[in-house]
């Protein structure tokens, strides 16, 4: 009744999603590893999800944590395990101790999490930009509009974009598919001169909320896309790009059987440093590979 649930930490993400959806709720936390990782793992690693713009990170979703140490159980709240804990003003912040602890303080056994009703509307979208810099400026402009940000917006650089298309079962180029999506809004002959396969990038978008909220967000995306030389491609490319995030985990394991190591990097950087940071990271990876 309070929009909270007390959940055992060992539950796997996909099972938690399924159980909550049956009851008409979501916790809104979707990390890339949701099919394999657990609630306790999210707390222990202070995880972030793809829909953090709407629901927050795990520290925004978890209200209380119970974990067991060699000296006993650490828990702040009601003794009755059926009672969901609210905010406690005195003493140490137990969830804060557990977040990112990675098992150093004890074993996380359960957590009280915030729930949200399932969204009335859920839609996907995508925007193509001529260059990464154009997409980056689009993202920066969107970040300044706090109440108009969709649940998830991810900017795929050119290499990531082409990888997604290369993994498709058919052999048509991504440029041909993009041209097909654009025929509803402009003549196809414009595309080759403006969007080159070696430089184009794509923003994938997921909207969640009421019908009015989603419509307002979609209108805002269209306005910003036009301002930054982008073109809206629609839901098909957006859904494919969103799903690609989950595919990476399987792709990594498959590649390792051929002695290819793949991993993701997550960090924060000022807007002005993002382009140089990405370039330096790729340059270092290429150099390290060449030395081996």
């Amino acid at each position: 009744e309070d929009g909270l649930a007390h959940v055992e930490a060992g539950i796997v993400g996909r099972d938690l999603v399924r159980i909550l959806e049956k009851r008409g709720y979501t916790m809104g936390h979707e990390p890339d590893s949701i099919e394999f990782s657990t609630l306790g793992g999210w707390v222990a690693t202070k995880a972030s999800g793809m829909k953090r713009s709407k629901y927050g990170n795990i520290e925004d979703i978890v209200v209380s944590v119970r974990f067991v140490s060699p000296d006993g159980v650490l828990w702040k709240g009601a003794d009755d395990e059926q009672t969901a804990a609210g905010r406690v003003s005195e003493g140490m912040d137990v969830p804060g101790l557990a977040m990112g602890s990675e098992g150093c303080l004890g074993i996380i056994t359960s957590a009280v999490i915030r729930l949200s009703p399932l969204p009335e509307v859920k839609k996907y979208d995508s925007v193509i930009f001529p260059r990464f810099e154009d997409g980056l400026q689009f993202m920066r402009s969107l970040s300044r509009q706090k109440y108009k940000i969709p649940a998830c917006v991810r900017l795929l650089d050119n290499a990531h974009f082409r990888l997604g298309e290369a993994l498709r079962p058919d052999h048509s180029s991504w440029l041909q598919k993009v041209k097909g999506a654009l025929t509803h809004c402009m003549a196809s002959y414009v595309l080759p001169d403006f969007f080159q396969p070696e430089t184009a990038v794509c923003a994938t978008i997921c909207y969640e909320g009421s019908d009015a909220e989603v419509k307002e967000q979609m209108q805002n995306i269209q306005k910003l896309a036009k301002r930054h030389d982008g073109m809206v491609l629609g839901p098909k490319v957006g859904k494919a790009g969103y799903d690609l995030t989950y595919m990476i985990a399987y792709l990594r394991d498959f590649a390792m059987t051929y002695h290819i190591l793949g991993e993701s990097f997550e960090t924060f950087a000022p807007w002005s440093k993002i382009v140089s940071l990405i370039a330096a990271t790729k340059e270092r990876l290429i150099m390290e590979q060449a030395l081996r």
Side-chain angles (χ1 to χ4, degrees):
E1 74 184 274
D2 296 320
L4 302 173
H6 190 182
V7 184
E8 292 185 350
I11 190 169
V12 177
R14 62 176 180 270
D15 295 331
L16 180 56
V17 169
R18 175 176 49 80
I19 292 171
L20 291 178
E21 284 184 348
K22 282 185 177 180
R23 291 164 171 77
Y25 293 96
T26 178
M27 68 178 292
H29 187 67
E30 289 190 12
D32 300 355
S33 60
I34 192 169
E35 293 185 298
F36 309 102
S37 54
T38 64
L39 173 60
W42 300 340
V43 174
T45 58
K46 203 172 184 179
S48 182
M50 293 196 290
K51 297 178 181 177
R52 62 166 297 277
S53 297
K54 181 175 179 65
Y55 300 100
N57 295 311
I58 193 65
E59 64 268 24
D60 303 307
I61 298 171
V62 170
V63 176
S64 186
V65 174
R66 182 190 295 265
F67 62 94
V68 179
S69 72
D71 296 322
V73 178
L74 186 57
W75 164 262
K76 183 177 287 188
D79 292 332
D80 178 8
E81 293 190 9
Q82 301 302 315
T83 303
R87 181 178 182 272
V88 181
S89 60
E90 90 285 350
M92 295 186 299
D93 180 22
V94 177
L97 289 174
M99 292 291 170
S101 61
E102 300 194 354
C104 295
L105 298 179
I107 299 173
I108 298 168
T109 59
S110 66
V112 174
I113 58 174
R114 302 183 193 277
L115 303 181
S116 300
L118 286 174
E120 176 186 341
V121 176
K122 181 175 182 178
K123 292 184 177 181
Y124 295 93
D125 208 349
S126 55
V127 182
I128 188 174
F129 298 94
R131 302 173 306 140
F132 183 80
E133 289 78 7
D134 299 313
L136 187 62
Q137 290 305 313
F138 163 82
M139 298 288 282
R140 186 174 186 179
S141 297
L142 182 60
S143 70
R144 294 169 175 166
Q145 302 183 6
K146 183 176 180 181
Y147 299 105
K148 295 183 180 180
I149 301 177
C152 175
V153 185
R154 296 170 72 92
L155 180 63
L156 311 182
D157 69 5
N158 183 258
H160 196 167
F161 191 20
R162 286 190 289 164
L163 172 64
E165 292 302 318
L167 294 175
R168 296 175 67 92
D170 56 271
H171 301 289
S172 300
S173 71
W174 71 267
L175 188 57
Q176 290 172 330
K177 295 183 178 63
V178 171
K179 287 174 66 176
L182 288 172
T183 53
H184 297 288
C185 63
M186 65 178 299
S188 61
Y189 70 86
V190 176
L191 183 60
D193 296 330
F194 200 46
F195 295 92
Q196 299 300 320
E198 297 81 11
T199 59
V201 300
C202 183
T204 59
I205 303 164
C206 176
Y207 305 99
E208 286 190 4
S210 67
D211 184 62
E213 287 174 330
V214 170
K215 284 181 178 178
E216 182 181 16
Q217 291 172 5
M218 292 182 72
Q219 291 172 356
N220 187 52
I221 289 293
Q222 292 171 2
K223 185 187 303 181
L224 289 178
K226 185 177 180 180
R227 183 187 305 171
H228 296 286
D229 295 330
M231 292 185 181
V232 176
L233 298 182
K236 188 174 182 180
V237 175
K239 180 66 164 60
Y242 192 86
D243 292 342
L244 176 61
T245 303
Y246 299 112
M247 191 188 306
I248 295 297
Y250 296 96
L251 181 63
R252 179 184 59 190
D253 293 342
F254 172 77
M256 287 183 68
T257 62
Y258 292 90
H259 309 289
I260 299 174
L261 181 64
E263 191 51 270
S264 59
F265 298 91
E266 296 182 3
T267 188
F268 282 94
W271 288 102
S272 60
K273 302 293 184 183
I274 291 178
V275 173
S276 59
L277 175 63
I278 293 174
T281 301
K282 291 182 177 180
E283 182 179 343
R284 180 60 182 268
L285 288 172
I286 294 172
M287 182 189 72
E288 292 292 339
Q289 190 275 332
L291 294 175
R292 285 162 169 76

